[in-house]
Amino acid sequence: MAKRADGSFAPWLATEWSITPDGLTYTFTLRDGVIFHDGTPLDAEAVKANFDFVKKPENAANAASLLDRYARAEVVAPNVVRLILARPDSSFLESVSNVKLGIISPKALAKGDLCGGGPALAGTGPFVFADYVRGQSARFTRNTAYAWPPGYAAHSGPAYLDGFTIRFLPEAAVRAGALSSGQLDVIEGVQPTDAPLFADQPDFTLLKGPLGAGTAFTLNVNYTRAPADDVRVRRALRDGFDPEPIVRQVYLGTVPRAWSIIGPDNPAFNRALVGGWGRDVAGANRLLDEAGWTGRDPAGFRTRDGKRLTIEVGYPQPYVRDNREVLIQGIQAAVRKNIGLDLNLRIITAGEYAKNNATGTWAIYPNTDNPSDAARELWDMLGSKGFLYTNIPNPDLEITGLVDEALAATDPVRKRALTDRIQALGIEKAYIVPLFAPSWFLAARKGVEGLGFEAGLDSPANGYDVWLSGE
């Protein structure tokens, strides 16, 4: 199955699916005639092999969290597979449509090297993985036998393009320059400062994806560590600055400030939070006075018992992008001036982040999350298994109970009421400080047609419907 841009589900490898009333059993009927790139057929045994593979602890990776409530798979018929959960999961359809759970040939699974790339990594898609040069490029060629497009596709049969090459260019300015000079046809991750190079220009097209289809970009506060274990300190951080002018200055008006952890283009966004919190410098200073941070050091920062009021933002270097560190620096300056808080931004290594994650010794972790199902997003950020996107159990039983209930809810009205309440509690307790709703920009040279976005992805949906006009 596939995810449409509006978040609804469309048939793909599965043509039909059903869910038992208790939310524990999902039965999928597979499309006939689907062939993996290595020539083996897609059947229920192949689907079962994939889910069994991901569930094994030794294969745990990003996809494993999507199956935390999955128990086992059963082959009902050659083209019918049953997936059984240990506990209800209202986000399970979202999970099985996620690219992280893409179905791979059992032969490829048996070889084990899924990071090597190339033809041995055989899927069922419209393009074959032809070649991979680590850190440089990945090349794909058209699957001429392809005849099973997703339900949202604009055409049938093989893809229009003979193939394409993805080049890995981490620097935004380099990508923009490569497109401008004709070295590339499409780039993703266009920076707001580069958008005018391509917007309303005769030789280029600029596309903007949904605003925060996943989560907003937030400061996630570890409320088990001092001084942020005091709700007054967290609320002072939340209210001690106005995100709007800082966001506008950094992103040139291309994205809005955020009011919730859930993005504004997500149907589950709690609109009651708009205008309901923040931008209260006087109130933030009163809270810090009440908390005993009444002294000042020579640099103007608040102190208590001779200790400076400091909260560290540990931003992992691999995730720094889109001028987000510049945004945090603007907030850093604002809270220093407004409330005397030392928001200490530190760019850390991936190794240090992993250690802090494992031990819970981080203070603030800034991030976004991709799932478009609100209950799954809130479970990622505030759930019982690991709070604020780390592996430390969440001690707030009120909010974890609501998250677990939302994830199990089969009634959409009840689920929406729960996710609204969880969003409000995250703000009320200042576990999160939403900053802005990210939007993903693509730029292409004129003549590249059929580009689009998929809910839950911060990149192009696929290359299947892409074509070149005038060629």
Side-chain angles (χ1 to χ4, degrees):
M1 56 193 300
K3 198 76 176 288
R4 295 186 177 95
D6 64 2
S8 62
F9 298 102
W12 197 352
L13 297 183
T15 57
E16 300 176 12
W17 53 90
S18 63
I19 310 169
T20 55
D22 61 6
L24 292 176
T25 302
Y26 290 68
T27 302
F28 296 89
T29 300
L30 304 179
R31 186 187 296 264
D32 291 328
V34 177
I35 304 297
F36 287 105
H37 299 150
D38 60 10
T40 57
L42 170 77
D43 56 17
E45 290 285 358
V47 174
K48 181 180 185 300
N50 273 261
F51 281 85
D52 289 348
F53 179 89
V54 175
K55 193 63 176 177
K56 289 180 180 179
E58 61 267 30
N59 298 326
N62 286 352
S65 65
L66 300 174
L67 298 182
D68 67 296
R69 299 190 173 196
Y70 164 79
R72 66 187 188 277
E74 296 178 352
V75 174
V76 179
N79 69 330
V80 179
V81 64
R82 182 176 294 145
L83 304 181
I84 300 171
L85 308 186
R87 292 177 293 159
D89 181 357
S90 63
S91 70
F92 193 64
L93 287 181
E94 161 84 18
S95 295
V96 298
S97 69
N98 193 295
V99 66
K100 295 175 184 177
L101 289 177
I103 303 300
I104 298 171
S105 165
K107 287 184 179 179
L109 293 177
K111 292 178 180 177
D113 183 17
L114 301 184
C115 296
L121 188 59
T124 63
F127 294 95
V128 177
F129 201 161
D131 185 55
Y132 175 59
V133 180
R134 185 178 180 87
Q136 296 184 39
S137 64
R139 185 170 61 87
F140 298 83
T141 58
R142 178 166 53 186
N143 176 7
T144 57
Y146 192 71
W148 41 88
Y152 60 72
H155 79 288
S156 59
Y160 295 128
L161 299 178
D162 292 332
F164 60 89
T165 298
I166 297 174
R167 291 176 57 193
F168 307 132
L169 302 175
E171 295 294 330
V174 173
R175 294 195 298 271
L179 179 61
S180 297
S181 61
Q183 300 175 56
L184 300 175
D185 297 301
V186 181
I187 62 172
E188 63 179 5
V190 179
Q191 299 294 295
T193 50
D194 292 329
L197 296 173
F198 309 111
D200 302 318
Q201 299 297 320
D203 296 326
F204 300 100
T205 300
L206 182 72
L207 300 177
K208 183 177 181 180
L211 288 168
T215 62
F217 180 62
T218 60
L219 298 180
N220 305 303
V221 185
N222 185 346
Y223 53 91
T224 67
R225 288 178 58 82
D229 57 345
D230 187 331
V231 67
R232 294 170 294 188
V233 172
R234 298 196 303 271
R235 287 172 175 164
L237 168 61
R238 179 196 68 191
D239 297 343
F241 69 101
D242 183 354
E244 189 162 352
I246 304 174
V247 169
R248 185 169 59 249
Q249 180 180 15
V250 174
Y251 296 105
L252 306 178
T254 58
V255 296
R257 67 152 293 182
W259 293 98
S260 171
I261 190 172
I262 302 295
D265 281 354
N266 190 312
F269 171 57
N270 184 353
R271 298 190 181 281
L273 295 174
V274 175
W277 61 271
R279 301 183 295 184
D280 182 7
V281 173
N285 277 300
R286 285 194 300 270
L287 287 169
L288 292 178
D289 288 342
E290 292 172 10
W293 295 94
T294 54
R296 295 277 179 167
D297 66 14
F301 292 109
R302 284 179 176 266
T303 61
R304 187 179 67 184
D305 301 326
K307 184 177 180 180
R308 176 182 288 184
L309 177 60
T310 300
I311 304 178
E312 181 178 285
V313 180
Y315 202 167
Q317 177 64 56
Y319 305 145
V320 177
R321 63 192 189 279
D322 301 344
N323 287 334
R324 296 182 184 191
E325 79 283 13
V326 178
L327 176 69
I328 296 172
Q329 289 166 358
I331 297 165
Q332 183 181 42
V335 295
R336 174 178 184 172
K337 176 183 177 182
N338 294 345
I339 60 174
L341 168 64
D342 181 11
L343 193 67
N344 180 21
L345 173 63
R346 257 195 347 113
I347 307 300
I348 61 176
T349 65
E352 186 176 357
Y353 164 67
K355 179 181 178 181
N356 292 346
N357 186 352
T359 59
T361 53
W362 55 279
I364 289 181
Y365 171 48
N367 87 316
T368 53
D369 194 21
N370 278 341
S372 58
D373 181 273
R376 174 58 59 176
E377 290 171 8
L378 294 167
W379 182 86
D380 278 349
M381 307 298 287
L382 297 168
S384 54
K385 185 176 181 180
F387 81 106
L388 300 175
Y389 214 56
T390 70
N391 298 322
I392 306 304
N394 189 340
D396 187 332
L397 299 183
E398 177 187 19
I399 205 164
T400 58
L402 291 170
V403 171
D404 287 344
E405 190 177 348
L407 203 54
T410 55
D411 176 8
V413 175
R414 176 60 179 160
K415 180 176 179 177
R416 176 60 187 268
L418 289 165
T419 57
D420 279 355
R421 177 60 181 151
I422 297 162
Q423 291 173 67
L425 274 178
I427 297 296
E428 177 186 325
K429 299 186 178 188
Y431 294 158
I432 56 174
V433 181
L435 301 179
F436 76 97
S439 188
W440 200 253
F441 291 93
L442 298 176
R445 68 171 179 83
K446 286 293 186 184
V448 179
E449 312 287 351
L451 290 169
F453 298 89
E454 181 178 330
L457 289 181
D458 53 5
S459 59
N462 60 70
Y464 176 67
D465 284 324
V466 176
W467 54 284
L468 303 179
S469 63
E471 294 189 10

